[in-house]
Amino acid sequence: MPSKSKTPKNRLRIIQLLIIVWLLAICARLVWLQVKEYPNLSARAERQQQASIPLTPMRGVIYDRNGNELARSSEVKSLYAYPNQITDAQLIAPRLAKILDLDKDELLKRLKASDKVCVAIKRKLSDQEVAQVDALNLQGLRYVNEMKRQYLNGTTAAHVLGFVDVDEKGLSGLERYFDQTIRGQEGKMTVTFDALKKPFDHEIEKSVQGANIHLTLDATIQHYAEKALREGIRRSNARGGTLVMMKPATGEILALASYPTFDPNDVSDSTDLQKRNRAIETAFEPGSIFKIVAYSAALEEKLITPNTLINCGNGTITINGQKIQDTHPHSSLTATQALAQSSNVAAIIIGQKLGYERLAQYIERFGFGQRTKIELPAESRGILTNVKHWTPTIPIGYGISVTAVQAAAAFSCIANGGTWVQPHLVKQITSTYGEIISEPQGERHRVISPDTAATLTSMLEGVVVRGTAKAAKIEGYRAAGKTGTSKKANGKHGYMAGKYVASFAGFAPVENPEIVCIVSIDEPVGAYFGGDVAAPIFAQAVSHALQIMGVAPENAVESSFVAGGVKTFEVPQLVDERPLLSQTPAANQGVAQAAKASSAPPTPNAEAPANHNPNREADDKEAQNVHQASGEILVPDLNGRGIREALALCASRGLKLQANGEGIVSGQSPPPGTYVTKEVICRVRLVRTMQKKSPPARDPKKPPAAHAQATATRAQ
């Protein structure tokens, strides 16, 4: 029998054990709550006791190339309410709704949301709305300062700049492309409440301003470009259009416009069509402006010259059962004339000479079928199918789609002496303190030789002077370019009846191109040719741009002036050149002999050059007959001649001459052998000394004295 004295001890031990277990359980629970559940419980406490309001940062400023502000953020007030402090929501809701243009019932629900500490009434109020709300003198309302994006020039450059949402997040254009750079770092305001949900403290975490963007765009040029585009589209009752203007040497975009447009300050009523950036998002079949690829490739590969005669088949050619026609039929044209008259037949024949594989290489080098990587979102690469699926119409710009920016870059390549330069919009990115963060450098690569580019430039000038683009002439400046008119594809391997895209792409001045510009008009009504619809817009926009840039007119005539230490002579009319000749009879005789020699036909016994080609001579003779019939003049080779000899040669052919420098001719434009009209001015560059050439090899059949005499004659 157990002892009675042990029973109380056992009970005491059991109680002690239970107490220990209970304490351990409490400790374990405390550890669980303090360690494992701490983040969740802390967040719940904050939600019950605090409310956070995000503070949008000040976005960086966007400037044009001259430092003018295009987009900036300014501080505005947003209205918030504390539902627990609203005494009569039924009375307040209608009054606020009327002032702020809000739905009364929806506002009433917010004011009665007693489970929420703070609710937003309306963000980013206008100054007038703030004044009207203040006049009500209501309790339970609070303002919070936020940032609002402002576009200072309204619709100007809207498609370039883009726009932001209410939270200052970029949604299109540069605002979207550089959103992380411009946006900055968000801040917040934290408000603390008591048990009755009354605020008694707040804490502000400041936002950090974003970086600034400096563009290549010129706001004034952009304004006039948009004006010219808008007026041209309204004249032609077109569906829309785009214009891109850039500097060929650097790739800097000076203007990029689309129409219809929108106001980025208020996009609520804008349609998708208005917000579409046609310059980069809309690909179109370029038509004849694409012929520059085939022509430049054929010139580069030495398959044609400007005077090569092409059989145009009276304006019709049939390939694989597909009949292709010219608007104006011709039997034969030189390459220069074919480009000026925009002959489809000639371009297709040139394309056949090249072959698809070789043509495809040049298309790729010119940047078609790939994005230019311009700093804008949603850029299209265009449509370029595999060579296996090509049709014979590729050389004339059908069966391929391009964007306006791609076409502008291609024409810049020609204006830039054969080097393709990546188009870009951003000049530099700077911090809020003005420190340069980055200066983007565009890609560049050679496509064609400078000689080919110069030859094609002269041919493209002929398009403006005597071809399909006479409406692209700019008063005071020489321009070069190409028209294009294409039917609109219906997306089902066919074309829409009566729907066209009219285009013109070109550059000016011809001698030292400062601007390349393309204009593309979608669905003009009535006249629909590029020369009638797009070329006048080009002339208007580029004329304004050249004047704004301070480019001196090329045709300003002065008999003699000194600029930068270099004397320039210009002869506007060379009908009678006798006053320009030397007073010494010997000098006059030398000039006369040179002029006579240049125009005299070769003697039958003259030795043929090493590269003599009878067929080529026959082609050139036939081409000469064609040009003479149209009143065109063959440009002589002036290189190596003195100014007076050059003057005499030009005078004998009725050409105008402008010479820069002193000495003898070391370069000329248009190049020798080009046919031009009498309105064209032949420009030459003079230098005091020329590169010393090796003396010609002595003819063993001639005695030393005869060889020396021949060498002396060439030196003269």
Side-chain angles (χ1 to χ4, degrees):
M1 184 174 180
S3 173
K4 293 182 180 181
S5 62
K6 291 183 179 181
T7 301
K9 292 182 179 180
N10 291 335
R11 290 176 180 172
L12 182 60
R13 289 173 182 170
I14 292 171
I15 292 172
Q16 289 175 342
L17 182 61
L18 291 174
I19 291 173
I20 292 172
V21 170
W22 178 71
L23 289 174
L24 290 173
I26 290 176
C27 291
R29 181 61 176 170
L30 288 174
V31 171
W32 175 266
L33 294 174
Q34 291 292 328
V35 178
K36 184 69 176 177
E37 289 295 317
Y38 175 79
N40 295 332
L41 294 174
S42 177
R44 287 175 61 184
E46 287 182 1
R47 286 195 297 270
Q48 292 173 359
Q49 301 171 12
Q50 295 180 340
S52 294
I53 300 174
L55 302 178
T56 54
M58 178 177 283
R59 293 177 71 87
V61 181
I62 300 179
Y63 299 93
D64 81 340
R65 67 185 298 114
N66 300 314
N68 300 310
E69 292 185 354
L70 301 178
R72 68 170 300 113
S73 296
S74 57
E75 200 171 66
V76 294
K77 296 182 181 298
S78 294
L79 184 62
Y80 288 80
Y82 303 125
N84 289 313
Q85 296 184 20
I86 301 297
T87 56
D88 192 347
Q90 293 285 355
L91 178 64
I92 294 175
R95 300 170 70 182
L96 280 178
K98 183 177 181 181
I99 293 173
L100 303 177
D101 193 23
L102 300 174
D103 182 81
K104 181 183 65 175
D105 296 332
E106 178 63 28
L107 179 57
L108 183 60
K109 289 180 182 180
R110 295 184 193 178
L111 295 177
K112 286 186 174 182
S114 57
D115 58 325
K116 294 184 178 180
V117 175
C118 183
V119 294
I121 302 300
K122 186 177 181 179
R123 299 179 62 185
K124 303 183 180 181
L125 278 64
S126 66
D127 293 340
Q128 183 180 0
E129 289 173 331
V130 171
Q132 290 177 328
V133 171
D134 288 342
L136 296 178
N137 195 24
L138 300 175
Q139 296 295 323
L141 301 180
R142 182 186 180 94
Y143 291 117
V144 173
N145 292 330
E146 288 193 278
M147 296 298 166
K148 183 178 181 179
R149 200 62 164 169
Q150 293 181 334
Y151 301 93
L152 307 182
N153 296 318
T155 60
T156 301
H159 295 94
V160 175
L161 300 175
F163 58 92
V164 299
D165 63 9
V166 69
D167 293 315
E168 296 286 281
K169 181 180 180 181
L171 296 183
S172 75
L174 290 166
E175 296 280 23
R176 178 180 174 183
Y177 191 90
F178 288 102
D179 187 57
Q180 294 299 319
T181 303
I182 304 176
R183 183 173 175 79
Q185 185 177 340
E186 191 177 72
K188 67 177 180 178
M189 183 179 74
T190 303
V191 183
T192 305
F193 301 88
D194 60 16
L196 299 177
K197 294 189 176 180
K198 292 183 178 181
F200 66 87
D201 192 14
H202 72 275
E203 182 178 318
I204 295 178
E205 181 181 327
K206 292 184 178 181
S207 57
V208 179
Q209 183 176 340
N212 301 321
I213 306 291
H214 300 258
L215 304 183
T216 62
L217 209 73
D218 187 301
T220 308
I221 293 176
Q222 175 76 25
H223 167 76
Y224 282 105
E226 290 183 4
K227 182 175 182 289
L229 180 64
R230 180 176 63 252
E231 292 175 352
I233 289 174
R234 289 176 179 175
R235 281 196 306 268
S236 61
N237 295 312
R239 184 168 181 261
T242 185
L243 182 153
V244 178
M245 198 180 293
M246 63 185 286
K247 291 178 69 68
T250 62
E252 295 175 328
I253 298 292
L254 296 173
L256 190 151
S258 290
Y259 189 87
T261 187
F262 66 98
D263 187 348
N265 291 300
D266 183 11
V267 298
S268 57
D269 296 329
S270 301
T271 64
D272 291 339
L273 180 64
Q274 290 174 304
K275 290 182 285 188
R276 172 178 284 271
N277 190 341
R278 291 171 174 265
I280 62 163
E281 297 180 35
T282 302
F284 61 96
E285 292 195 345
S288 294
I289 63 172
F290 194 72
K291 291 175 182 175
I292 62 164
V293 180
Y295 274 85
S296 61
L299 289 168
E300 183 76 5
E301 299 292 332
K302 304 295 188 289
L303 298 177
I304 64 169
T305 68
N307 301 323
T308 298
L309 206 61
I310 302 172
N311 182 2
C312 297
N314 291 319
T316 302
I317 188 172
T318 303
I319 303 176
N320 299 329
Q322 186 175 359
K323 188 176 182 180
I324 301 166
Q325 295 179 307
D326 285 336
T327 303
H328 304 290
H330 296 275
S331 57
S332 295
L333 293 171
T334 65
T336 299
Q337 290 175 325
L339 186 63
Q341 298 301 321
S342 198
S343 171
N344 292 330
V345 175
I348 289 174
I349 291 173
I350 291 173
Q352 289 177 327
K353 285 185 177 184
L354 281 165
Y356 284 170
E357 294 292 340
R358 192 155 44 173
L359 180 59
Q361 293 176 6
Y362 280 91
I363 290 174
E364 183 179 351
R365 291 181 198 173
F366 272 106
F368 296 110
Q370 52 197 307
R371 295 183 178 91
T372 64
K373 299 179 183 178
I374 191 172
E375 306 97 325
L376 289 172
E379 182 186 8
S380 170
R381 66 172 70 245
I383 300 174
L384 178 61
T385 58
N386 190 282
V387 175
K388 298 178 181 178
H389 306 296
W390 277 16
T391 64
T393 59
I394 291 291
I396 62 173
Y398 278 92
I400 182 173
S401 293
V402 307
T403 65
V405 169
Q406 287 175 336
F411 273 81
S412 288
C413 177
I414 298 168
N416 194 35
T419 300
W420 185 91
V421 181
Q422 180 186 1
H424 60 279
L425 278 162
V426 176
K427 202 168 187 178
Q428 61 181 208
I429 301 174
T430 61
S431 69
T432 54
Y433 304 105
E435 300 171 344
I436 297 176
I437 298 174
S438 67
E439 288 182 294
Q441 300 295 324
E443 302 174 13
R444 58 175 61 220
H445 61 264
R446 179 157 294 283
V447 178
I448 54 178
S449 68
D451 288 342
T452 298
T455 300
L456 188 57
T457 294
S458 180
M459 295 170 69
L460 290 173
E461 185 179 10
V463 178
V464 176
V465 174
R466 57 188 177 274
T468 58
K470 294 183 179 69
K473 292 180 180 179
I474 305 171
E475 184 176 357
Y477 303 94
R478 295 163 57 203
K482 185 70 190 77
T483 55
T485 308
S486 61
K487 294 181 179 179
K488 285 192 70 174
N490 59 15
K492 300 177 181 178
H493 306 288
Y495 295 91
M496 294 184 284
K499 305 292 185 182
Y500 298 91
V501 175
S503 305
F504 178 82
F507 49 89
V510 168
E511 190 67 27
N512 294 297
E514 291 287 344
I515 292 176
V516 167
C517 179
I518 178 173
V519 179
S520 179
I521 306 301
D522 185 18
E523 296 185 18
V525 177
Y528 59 85
F529 288 112
D532 299 324
V533 178
I537 300 174
F538 166 91
Q540 180 181 344
V542 175
S543 176
H544 280 298
L546 290 171
Q547 294 175 42
I548 293 167
M549 295 171 66
V551 179
E554 292 181 293
N555 299 344
V557 178
E558 289 187 36
S559 59
S560 178
F561 62 93
V562 177
V566 179
K567 185 175 289 186
T568 302
F569 302 93
E570 185 170 346
V571 185
Q573 296 294 336
L574 298 176
V575 178
D576 186 357
E577 292 299 331
R578 284 173 295 179
L580 295 172
L581 300 179
S582 173
Q583 298 299 320
T584 62
N588 289 343
Q589 184 179 3
V591 174
Q593 288 177 350
K596 182 178 179 180
S598 67
S599 59
T603 61
N605 297 328
E607 185 178 351
N611 60 351
H612 174 68
N613 187 338
N615 295 330
R616 174 71 171 274
E617 287 183 358
D619 287 346
D620 288 347
K621 183 64 177 177
E622 189 174 354
Q624 183 179 1
N625 294 335
V626 172
H627 283 288
Q628 287 177 350
S630 60
E632 295 176 345
I633 304 169
L634 179 66
V635 177
D637 187 357
L638 304 177
N639 289 294
R641 303 180 188 273
I643 180 61
R644 300 191 182 280
E645 186 179 355
L647 285 170
L649 273 175
C650 289
S652 67
R653 305 189 182 201
L655 284 174
K656 301 175 184 177
L657 179 69
Q658 184 182 39
N660 296 324
E662 294 181 351
I664 56 179
V665 178
S666 67
Q668 70 177 86
S669 176
T674 304
Y675 282 93
V676 298
T677 60
K678 62 181 180 180
E679 291 85 3
V680 173
I681 299 175
C682 186
R683 289 169 167 78
V684 296
R685 180 166 57 90
L686 305 177
V687 295
R688 291 185 179 275
T689 58
M690 290 193 68
Q691 185 176 358
K692 189 174 181 180
K693 296 183 178 180
S694 301
R698 194 182 79 142
D699 190 339
K701 296 181 181 180
K702 293 182 180 180
H707 174 73
Q709 178 65 32
T711 304
T713 303
R714 291 191 193 97
Q716 291 175 3

